[in-house]
Amino acid sequence: MTTTLSALQDWVDQVAKLTQPEDIHWCNGSEAEYKRLINQMCRSGDLIPLNEDDYPNCYLHRSDPSDVARVEHLTYICTRNEADAGPNNHWMSPADAHRKIDALFEAAMQGRTMYIIPYCMGPIDSPYARLGIEITDSPYVVVNMKLMTRMGAKALRRIEKEGTFVKGLHSTGDLDPQRRFIMHFPEELSIKSIGSGYGGNALLGKKCHALRIASWQARTEGWLAEHMLIVGVENPDGVIHYIACAFPSACGKTNLAMLVPPESQQGWKVWTLGDDIAWLHMDEGGKLRAINPEAGYFGVVPGTNTKSNKNAYDMIKHDTIFTNVATTADNLPWWEDKKTGTPAFDWQGRKYDPENGPAAHPNSRFTVSATNNPSYSSLADAPAGVPISAVVFGGRRKELAPLVYEARNWRHGVLVGAGVASETTAAAAGAVGVVRRDPMAMSPFCGYNFGDYWAHWLSFEQRSKHLPKIFHVNWFRQDKAGKFLWPGFGENLRVLRWIIERCDNKVGAKETPIGLMPNAGDIDLKDLDVSEETMGALLSIDIEQWQQEMDSIGEYLEGYGDRLPDELWQEHQQVVDALKQAG
Ligand code: GTP
Ligand code: SPV
Ligand code: MN
C-alpha cells in the first residue's frame, strides 16, 4: 500500500531519507496486521504473553525504567511568536526546534521498520473528526494506536479525500533522556517526538494531536479540545444527561466515566462516551455537543479492583496490553490494590522485593479498545456527538475544596476552571503530591497561551444562552489521619445526581462566597456510611483558607499579563469581595 496523495508521499519520502529505515510498512489497521505485530513483539521480547486462561490475548510491555511517564520539561510548543505559547508552555522557535530534533532523527531508524499509521480522531464519518498520520519505528506504538484510534485504510481514504492531516513523526531513538524531546508546531500542524516510547509522549494521536494541536485549531475555529471524560447518566425513567468532566492526570476521569452505580441507587445507569479527551462544538441551537476523539483507553491500572471499578476490572481481562504492571507466579498481571493474588516479579521484571517500592509502577497503564467496556455508550460513534448538560472541573485536594459547588454563571465557571489546582501524580515525571495550578486540567496540554485560552472560553457566553452549567468537585478531601472523607468511585453518582437536578432546576442551592452549594439533605445519603459530621466537613468552606487560595490564584493569573482577559480579573475580585464580607 502507498498513497495517491502526493503531499503525504513526499513527506514519507523525506522522512525515510532522513531516518533511513530498513523497511517501510503502511498500516491498514486490520486484525491480521495487529496479530502479526503482536506475535513479532512476543518473539523479540517487546511483549510478554500473560496467562492465556485467565487473561486471553493479554500482553505485558516493560518500558525502559527511565521512560515511564510524560515528560513535561521536555515538551515544547514551537510557535513563531513566543508569547503565543504563553507562560504555561516551554517554548522554542520552530527553526531551532526543527534543527535540534532533526539532528536526532538522522539515521534514527537504521535497521528498523518505519510504520505509517493513518488515523482518525473521532467517529470516522463525523464532521468533527480530524485526521492524522503518525510515522514511527515502534511496533508498540502501532498496536496501541490500533486500540486507541480508528486506524488504517478508512482513515487513509478520508485523508486522501480531504488532503489535510496532522503530521506526527516519532522514533524511540536511543531512550537517552538527554536526547528526548516532544515538539509541537501548531502553525504547521505537525509534531516531532523522539527518545520515548511511553504513552502520551509516543502515541501522538492522544495528547500531542487531540489536545495540544487540536486546542490551537479549536481556538481559531470556535470550538474546544479538552482533557475531559464524557459520561451519560441515565435516571430510572430512562432520561440520559451527558456530563463532561476535566480532572488532572490520574485524578479519576476513567473511573468516573465507567462508574458502577451502588446498590442503593436502584434504576440508575451510567454510560461511557470517553475517559480522557472531549472535543466540544456548539450546534445550531447553541448547545455544546461532545465527541470523544479516541476509540480506546490508556488507563491507570493500580487501584482497579472489583469494588472500585468492576467495569474496568472486567474490561481488562481480555485483549489488553499492560504496560509496567507486576506479574504473579502463574503469570497473571498484578498491581497494588488488585485485592487478589501476590506479586512474584515487579514492573521491571525483578523478583518482587518490597524494598524496591511498589510491584507495579504507580503509572502502569492498560490499553484496551473501548468496545471492551461493558458500559460503552451506543452513542459513542454518533457523528454529531452528545449534548452536554454540565461541565465539571475537579482536582485532588486534601483540604480546601469542598465535595461539590456550582459556579454562579458561565463567566464565574471559567474562573473556577482557571483556578483548578491539584496534587501532582505519577502520570508525569517529577515529584508526586505537590499542589500545583492546573487550569481546566489542561496545564500540560494547552497548545497556546492560557490567557488567550480563557478569553476563548469566555467568548462562548456571547454565542449561546444554552451553555452547560459549570461545577467543581473534589473526591479527595482527607481527615487529619490522611483518610479520604468521601468513599468516591460508585458513590460519586450521588454527587452527579445533585448536579443533574441543578441542571434541571429541580433543587435549590445555598449561596456562598465561592459559589452555590448543596442544601443539607439534598445529596442522597441512603445506605451510605458517611456521618452527618463528615458530610458537614465535606461541604464546608474555610473563609481564611479560601482568602489565601484567591490570593494564590490572583498571583498566578497575574503571570499572564496583558493576555489575561479583564472579565476573569473582575470575577476574581468578586469572589475576593464576597469572602471579605463573609469573614
Ligand atoms: P489520566 O488517564 O492520567 O488522565 O487519569 P484519570 O483522570 O483517568 O484517572 P483514573 O480514573 O485512572 O484515576 C487515577 C487514580 O485515582 C486511580 O488510582 C484511582 O483508583 C484513583 N481514583 C479514581 N476515582 C477515585 C475516587 O473517587 N476516590 C478516590 N479516593 N480515588 C479515586
Ligand atoms: C495523562 O497523563 O493525562 C494520560 C496518560 O492520560 S498519557 O497518555 O501518558 O498522557
Ligand atoms: Mn489524561
Side-chain angles (χ1 to χ4, degrees):
M1 200 169 79
T2 51
T3 179
T4 56
L5 186 66
S6 59
L8 172 54
Q9 189 62 54
D10 291 349
W11 176 54
V12 169
D13 292 345
Q14 241 176 51
V15 169
K17 203 168 147 214
L18 175 69
T19 60
Q20 297 173 30
E22 187 171 289
D23 260 322
I24 298 181
H25 175 83
W26 290 73
C27 300
N28 62 20
S30 67
E31 285 305 315
E33 178 182 76
Y34 178 81
K35 272 262 120 90
R36 207 162 52 238
L37 286 168
I38 292 276
N39 291 337
Q40 175 196 315
M41 281 186 280
C42 288
R43 286 194 300 275
S44 70
D46 274 349
L47 289 183
I48 299 162
L50 291 166
N51 186 309
E52 184 62 30
D53 295 329
D54 288 358
Y55 280 81
N57 300 316
C58 290
Y59 304 89
L60 166 63
H61 174 75
R62 292 193 184 116
S63 308
D64 186 275
S66 77
D67 187 31
V68 293
R70 284 182 294 100
V71 280
E72 295 175 5
H73 59 296
L74 302 173
T75 300
Y76 287 80
I77 299 295
C78 310
T79 45
R80 282 188 298 264
N81 177 355
E82 180 171 2
D84 290 342
N88 46 307
N89 282 301
H90 299 292
W91 175 85
M92 206 183 287
S93 79
D96 287 348
H98 282 302
R99 200 175 320 114
K100 197 169 184 117
I101 204 161
D102 284 354
L104 299 174
F105 272 111
E106 218 167 280
M109 298 189 187
Q110 256 174 12
R112 299 187 189 179
T113 298
M114 175 170 112
Y115 300 92
I116 321 285
I117 312 172
Y119 64 86
C120 179
M121 300 310 285
I124 189 83
D125 51 354
S126 169
Y128 303 141
R130 294 300 165 100
L131 288 301
I133 301 270
E134 175 165 357
I135 300 182
T136 180
D137 56 7
S138 162
Y140 170 81
V141 166
V142 179
V143 292
N144 275 271
M145 286 290 282
K146 157 80 177 160
L147 296 175
M148 295 296 298
T149 72
R150 284 109 174 148
M151 184 268 258
K154 275 193 192 156
L156 181 60
R157 275 204 293 280
R158 189 164 160 183
I159 288 170
E160 288 171 339
K161 207 167 92 204
E162 294 182 4
T164 45
F165 60 95
V166 169
K167 290 181 183 146
L169 173 57
H170 168 257
S171 168
T172 39
D174 57 11
L175 294 175
D176 179 350
Q178 300 294 320
R179 292 149 60 79
R180 181 178 293 163
F181 291 102
I182 296 98
M183 312 267 205
H184 304 73
F185 306 88
E187 288 145 337
E188 303 166 18
L189 300 187
S190 79
I191 305 152
K192 291 181 179 176
S193 163
I194 194 161
S196 167
Y198 192 81
N201 302 329
L203 311 176
L204 301 186
K206 196 173 176 59
K207 298 297 162 71
C208 301
H209 177 166
L211 287 178
R212 298 195 190 97
I213 299 287
S215 62
W216 175 285
Q217 290 181 292
R219 180 189 171 219
T220 58
E221 298 168 9
W223 50 285
L224 294 165
E226 299 297 327
H227 191 205
M228 290 178 176
L229 69 93
I230 312 164
V231 68
V233 182
E234 181 174 340
N235 73 16
D237 296 329
V239 179
I240 306 183
H241 284 80
Y242 295 94
I243 302 178
C245 310
F247 310 151
S249 301
C251 289
K253 290 184 300 303
T254 304
N255 278 276
L256 194 70
M258 302 186 63
L259 183 152
V260 181
E263 254 172 51
S264 67
Q265 306 293 301
Q266 280 294 318
W268 288 84
K269 291 187 188 131
V270 171
W271 303 105
T272 315
L273 281 289
D275 82 324
D276 198 45
I277 300 178
W279 285 356
L280 305 166
H281 284 79
M282 194 177 284
D283 69 13
E284 278 157 19
K287 275 237 155 222
L288 274 194
R289 303 190 73 88
I291 63 160
N292 171 17
E294 302 190 279
Y297 314 122
F298 184 65
V300 175
V301 182
T304 308
N305 58 55
T306 50
K307 243 188 109 205
S308 65
N309 188 344
K310 183 164 189 317
N311 278 338
Y313 190 85
D314 292 344
M315 165 176 87
I316 60 179
K317 278 205 127 196
H318 63 100
D319 302 284
T320 299
I321 298 174
F322 290 89
T323 300
N324 298 334
V325 294
T327 48
T328 65
D330 44 4
N331 205 28
L332 299 168
W334 193 90
W335 53 86
E336 273 62 26
D337 249 347
K338 187 181 184 186
K339 306 248 192 251
T340 164
T342 44
F345 300 99
D346 73 5
W347 62 277
Q348 298 189 55
R350 301 174 298 195
K351 207 166 172 318
Y352 174 61
D353 177 353
E355 295 277 303
N356 288 330
H361 190 277
N363 192 35
S364 51
R365 298 260 168 177
F366 55 73
T367 317
V368 285
S369 164
T371 54
N372 271 28
N373 177 358
S375 63
Y376 195 42
S377 164
S378 60
L379 286 184
D381 263 317
V386 292
I388 296 298
S389 302
V391 163
V392 182
F393 296 114
R396 190 183 273 271
R397 300 293 297 264
K398 277 188 203 35
E399 37 185 33
L400 188 85
L403 181 63
V404 59
Y405 64 101
E406 178 188 330
R408 284 177 269 102
N409 51 43
W410 181 262
R411 245 191 220 205
H412 177 221
V414 175
L415 175 72
V416 169
V420 168
S422 194
E423 292 148 27
T424 50
T425 65
V432 168
V434 184
V435 176
R436 71 159 184 187
R437 296 269 148 229
D438 194 349
M440 278 84 172
M442 282 288 278
S443 186
F445 308 120
C446 183
Y448 63 102
N449 191 315
F450 261 153
D452 300 336
Y453 171 81
W454 297 319
H456 181 48
W457 263 85
L458 289 166
S459 75
F460 280 73
E461 205 185 15
Q462 273 96 63
R463 293 169 57 196
S464 172
K465 290 194 167 31
H466 308 288
L467 292 172
K469 280 186 189 277
I470 298 180
F471 299 80
H472 186 286
V473 298
N474 177 20
W475 313 140
F476 299 95
R477 275 280 275 265
Q478 293 179 8
D479 64 14
K480 293 218 164 62
K483 193 175 159 282
F484 289 117
L485 291 177
W486 177 249
F489 300 100
E491 307 296 352
N492 292 335
L493 177 61
R494 299 170 192 266
V495 175
L496 296 185
R497 282 182 54 194
W498 183 76
I499 287 174
I500 289 169
E501 284 178 17
R502 287 295 299 159
C503 293
D504 285 348
N505 295 314
K506 284 194 178 141
V507 68
K510 191 165 65 197
E511 294 209 22
T512 81
I514 64 163
L516 301 158
M517 293 194 34
N519 285 311
D522 281 348
I523 291 186
D524 177 11
L525 299 179
K526 183 169 174 251
D527 297 344
L528 189 68
D529 190 18
V530 172
S531 69
E532 249 170 65
E533 191 193 346
T534 301
M535 217 45 210
L538 281 163
L539 291 173
S540 67
I541 51 171
D542 180 319
I543 298 293
E544 211 170 297
Q545 263 190 348
W546 267 99
Q547 283 174 326
Q548 286 164 15
E549 179 74 358
M550 292 315 288
D551 286 349
S552 145
I553 292 173
E555 264 169 47
Y556 175 76
L557 295 179
E558 268 174 6
Y560 291 85
D562 56 9
R563 296 254 181 161
L564 185 76
D566 280 342
E567 294 101 306
L568 211 54
W569 208 224
Q570 288 157 18
E571 286 298 328
H572 179 265
Q573 195 53 48
Q574 201 169 326
V575 178
V576 169
D577 291 346
L579 284 165
K580 200 166 178 186
Q581 268 187 4

